[in-house]
Amino acid sequence: MHIRILGSGAGGGFPQWNCACPNCEAVRAGNAGFRRRTQSSLAVSRNGEDWVLLNASPDLREQIAAAPALNPNRAKGMRHSPIHAAVLTNGDVDHITGLIHLREVQPFTVFATGRVQHVLATNSVFNILAKDVVPRRTLPLDAPVALTGPDGELGLTVTAFPVPGKIALYLEDASKGAGLGTEVGDTIGLEIRDPATGAAFFYIPGCARLDDPLRARLHGARLVFFDGTLFTDDEMIRLGLMQKTGDRMGHISISGPNGSIAAFEPLGVTRKVYIHINNSNPVLDENSPERKTAETAGWEIGYDGMEVRL
Ligand code: MLT
Ligand code: MN
Ligand code: ZN
């Protein structure tokens, strides 16, 4: 299995267009130890030729241009794409708007839960992906599904599972209480598996906390790409960026007694990679003590273009 991080940043990317935080200023200035990051997405392929996107970010056009394997193969036609399917983990802007880049009557399949399919179905701009060209498949929860594209099966299965999280920002409904209208299926994690080899990994770009079912699922995993949005729950408040905690945004923090470093400690995961890293996160500074803390705890800080073979 071939895996490529297309975008390792959270919504907004790094630098974010309207952000003057120290990290964004440093990366804009080209300071040593800082790397630009596009918004949250991975690509996976069993054979290195036929690819599946895991989320479709607003930076997808640039991400495709930067990845030779995702470019058209003229031997297969004057209009061609190695992208055969896209799987969405929620309805957030950073995970769905890249679909709009994939117009031009190019066939592929969109997989998402019923909740997220409803978001696409009720936003008419997505009709640019005509349903007879780009079929939409509803993912069940907790059951493996064969990933398929226009030419049939891609040799991989996806298992979608609910994780603690929050409905997309633009759908929050304060009248619905503390959950803001969040329902099961609004935020999922994915297990991608090659049934021929048994190789498998987890992709969880948004997660509010590790509950017991999630701990059990991840126990002993070979590879997990996980929500690295914030280092500390109140970091955006302290930087004067926004009045929201990570908890309020549906994102676990890296540090602290309830953070992801502590939560993964007993799970025995072989390889742990942070993705969906917000521009405020101090781990984005390769020379920071927080970066050292994460790496010492056995975490890798994902970056755009990072490739893994399983
Ligand atoms: C998130 O990950 O919390 C969202 O991408 C935030 C947003 O939509 O801006
Ligand atoms: Mn996001
Ligand atoms: Zn910033």
Side-chain angles (χ1 to χ4, degrees):
M1 199 158 27
H2 303 242
I3 305 161
R4 178 181 171 104
I5 297 183
L6 299 182
S8 56
F14 187 46
Q16 175 171 314
W17 73 284
N18 64 343
C19 192
C21 79
N23 273 352
C24 284
E25 301 245 284
V27 75
R28 261 183 217 111
N31 291 359
F34 291 85
R35 229 185 234 261
R36 288 172 178 267
R37 287 157 198 275
T38 59
Q39 295 170 79
S40 177
S41 175
L42 245 72
V44 59
S45 171
R46 185 185 60 84
N47 58 10
E49 286 184 19
D50 306 315
W51 289 82
V52 179
L53 301 178
L54 306 183
N55 289 322
S57 101
D59 300 320
L60 182 56
R61 181 184 167 282
E62 178 188 342
Q63 293 167 344
I64 291 171
L70 297 183
N71 280 245
N73 179 350
R74 188 158 176 187
K76 296 192 175 173
M78 290 301 282
R79 285 286 172 93
H80 166 260
S81 172
I83 297 169
H84 293 254
V87 186
L88 309 176
T89 63
N90 58 25
D92 285 3
V93 169
D94 54 348
H95 287 161
I96 67 171
T97 48
L99 291 176
I100 295 166
H101 286 298
L102 302 178
R103 65 193 189 277
E104 316 299 355
V105 204
Q106 189 66 44
F108 67 100
T109 311
V110 178
F111 293 87
T113 63
R115 289 281 290 174
V116 175
Q117 291 290 9
H118 179 73
V119 172
L120 303 182
T122 51
N123 283 269
S124 56
V125 67
F126 292 103
N127 293 342
I128 197 73
L129 302 173
K131 287 197 183 123
D132 55 332
V133 179
V134 181
R136 301 179 189 184
R137 299 254 140 77
T138 298
L139 277 178
L141 293 175
D142 297 312
V145 168
L147 286 167
T148 52
D151 309 326
E153 294 201 3
L154 297 167
L156 297 172
T157 63
V158 60
T159 303
F161 51 89
V163 297
K166 182 184 72 60
I167 195 168
L169 179 61
Y170 59 90
L171 295 173
E172 287 182 3
D173 182 350
S175 74
K176 294 192 170 157
L180 304 167
T182 302
E183 291 183 22
V184 171
D186 281 333
T187 308
I188 56 171
L190 306 177
E191 184 193 39
I192 306 290
R193 179 175 292 273
D194 177 350
T197 64
F201 71 96
F202 290 93
Y203 171 63
I204 309 172
C207 183
R209 68 190 164 278
L210 267 73
D211 57 10
D212 287 341
L214 185 54
R215 278 177 218 274
R217 198 182 287 276
L218 297 180
H219 195 94
R222 197 163 151 194
L223 173 63
V224 179
F225 294 92
F226 192 75
D227 184 342
T229 309
L230 302 179
F231 194 80
T232 38
D233 192 50
D234 64 350
E235 87 192 23
M236 298 191 69
I237 299 172
R238 277 188 295 106
L239 284 164
L241 301 176
M242 203 162 69
Q243 284 308 311
K244 278 186 192 169
T245 61
D247 187 56
R248 169 63 183 79
M249 294 189 292
H251 294 292
I252 190 173
S253 296
I254 291 178
S255 68
N258 301 317
S260 53
I261 287 180
F264 272 79
E265 239 305 295
L267 300 183
V269 173
T270 310
R271 200 162 172 195
K272 302 169 282 192
V273 183
Y274 282 126
I275 45 152
H276 194 278
I277 306 165
N278 194 56
N279 59 79
S280 57
N281 193 322
V283 301
L284 292 178
D285 175 357
E286 288 167 20
N287 301 310
S288 67
E290 292 87 352
R291 173 72 162 240
K292 184 128 193 98
T293 299
E295 289 177 343
T296 304
W299 284 85
E300 295 170 68
I301 308 302
Y303 54 89
D304 293 19
M306 178 177 174
E307 293 188 347
V308 181
R309 289 287 294 271
L310 269 191

